[in-house]
Amino acid sequence: MRISAALLAVTLATASSLAVRAEEKSKADFSQSELKAKSDYCKTCHGLQGQGFRGSYPMPRLAGQQPEYLVNQLKAFIERRRNNPVMFNVAHVLTPHMEKAMAEQFNHLDPKPLDGASKENLTEGKKIYLEGIPKSDVPACASCHGDDAKGRDAFPRLAGQLHDYVYNKLTNWDKERGQDKNNPDNSAIMQPIAHSLTDAQIRTVAAYLSTIE
Ligand code: HEC
Ligand code: HEC
């Protein structure tokens, strides 16, 4: 299935107008110590440098993440468009200013990626990432996420992300993302791509991404 360019334009435009509206609201509504307390709390799960953490399930890396994508996800958790009970509880108490300030903080962290993926098929993962899989209509991941996988605006950084987290997301896309059919979001862009990848292809591309600094 081909990605609709119109859909892409519409959904990304909606996302950035939301961000502008959030920005227009009044001045900071929190103190620096409140901000620090909150981000220390995030780091108990996401790692002291935002590098991610493996507990009973993988907690994603937030370090170096695109602020716009990060804020979009917090809103998606709050509005239950993205299904995750832990992050709903964490996110729904944050104000728009707090979300933005925290997104900027995590964007500036740059720890080494966490290890742990099999190094067997990294060349195949790299090929999928840079060239896509033409016979399955999978576009090059790099065309949206960037050649260096650092992302841009609403397109997330994937570089250094935990391989098991990426595997879980791509395998469960429909159960977790875009859960409000009346309020479609950017997750619709990834939906056909996640569907077209086989289990083995997901593993190899996830392993490759986890090695990029
Ligand atoms: C109790 C553990 C816990 C705490 C505390 C926590 N998180 Fe999370 N967070 C998670 C888990 C688990 C996920 C992965 C959810 C999933 O698999 O979809 C996640 C996902 C996220 C995501 C989505 C990342 C992505 O790549 O899509 C963002 C953004 C996020 N958290 C931000 C925060 C912020 C900001 C804080 C602090 C205010 C915070 N988290 C505190 C456990 C936690
Ligand atoms: C047409 C543009 C586009 C292409 C091509 C694309 N992506 Fe994405 N991807 C996105 C967007 C936009 C999001 C964010 C969705 C959201 O905000 O819910 C995303 C999100 C993701 C996520 C979730 C990240 C997180 O932290 O939870 C993963 C994993 C991902 N993409 C992997 C891939 C892989 C692997 C490929 C190539 C096989 C790929 N993407 C190709 C646009 C694209």
Side-chain angles (χ1 to χ4, degrees):
M1 209 162 90
R2 298 237 168 251
I3 308 298
S4 144
L7 171 69
L8 186 70
V10 168
T11 48
L12 291 180
T14 315
S16 50
S17 73
L18 281 177
V20 171
R21 247 179 287 153
E23 235 167 330
E24 280 165 358
K25 283 197 194 155
S26 60
K27 299 195 297 281
D29 45 13
F30 56 86
S31 68
Q32 285 307 308
S33 62
E34 278 173 300
L35 178 62
K36 182 170 185 309
K38 266 293 171 208
S39 61
D40 284 350
Y41 173 55
C42 313
K43 290 171 183 171
T44 59
C45 286
H46 290 280
L48 287 179
Q49 290 295 318
Q51 74 275 27
F53 178 72
R54 290 196 172 90
S56 25
Y57 35 75
M59 322 280 173
R61 175 188 175 107
L62 301 179
Q65 188 50 275
Q66 294 295 329
E68 185 175 334
Y69 170 77
L70 199 148
V71 169
N72 282 348
Q73 297 314 300
L74 293 175
K75 295 198 188 311
F77 288 126
I78 296 169
E79 293 169 14
R80 299 193 193 270
R81 284 179 279 115
R82 178 168 172 181
N83 184 9
N84 187 266
V86 175
M87 278 309 300
F88 171 80
N89 286 329
V90 172
H92 85 278
V93 297
L94 302 173
T95 65
H97 279 109
M98 187 77 109
E99 291 168 2
K100 216 169 161 272
M102 224 137 25
E104 293 297 338
Q105 281 199 343
F106 281 110
N107 179 249
H108 288 112
L109 299 175
D110 190 23
K112 290 242 179 282
L114 283 189
D115 210 356
S118 152
K119 304 276 188 303
E120 266 170 44
N121 291 318
L122 295 183
T123 343
E124 199 194 327
K126 183 175 185 178
K127 192 169 156 61
I128 294 175
Y129 187 79
L130 294 175
E131 297 169 20
I133 312 166
K135 70 169 161 38
S136 325
D137 267 340
V138 173
C141 317
S143 65
C144 290
H145 294 280
D147 284 346
D148 57 2
K150 300 269 160 61
R152 186 175 51 88
D153 306 331
F155 297 102
R157 172 190 173 120
L158 301 173
Q161 189 52 278
L162 276 62
H163 70 97
D164 34 5
Y165 168 79
V166 168
Y167 176 83
N168 290 349
K169 293 313 97 185
L170 292 177
T171 313
N172 291 309
W173 200 267
D174 287 353
K175 293 191 206 103
E176 296 176 353
R177 314 282 272 240
Q179 296 304 299
D180 183 353
K181 298 298 168 226
N182 297 321
N183 189 6
D185 57 25
N186 292 348
S187 67
I189 300 166
M190 267 306 293
Q191 197 265 352
I193 301 174
H195 265 225
S196 305
L197 295 167
T198 66
D199 193 80
Q201 288 162 346
I202 293 176
R203 280 183 204 281
T204 141
V205 80
Y208 168 66
L209 289 168
S210 74
T211 64
I212 307 178
E213 289 190 19

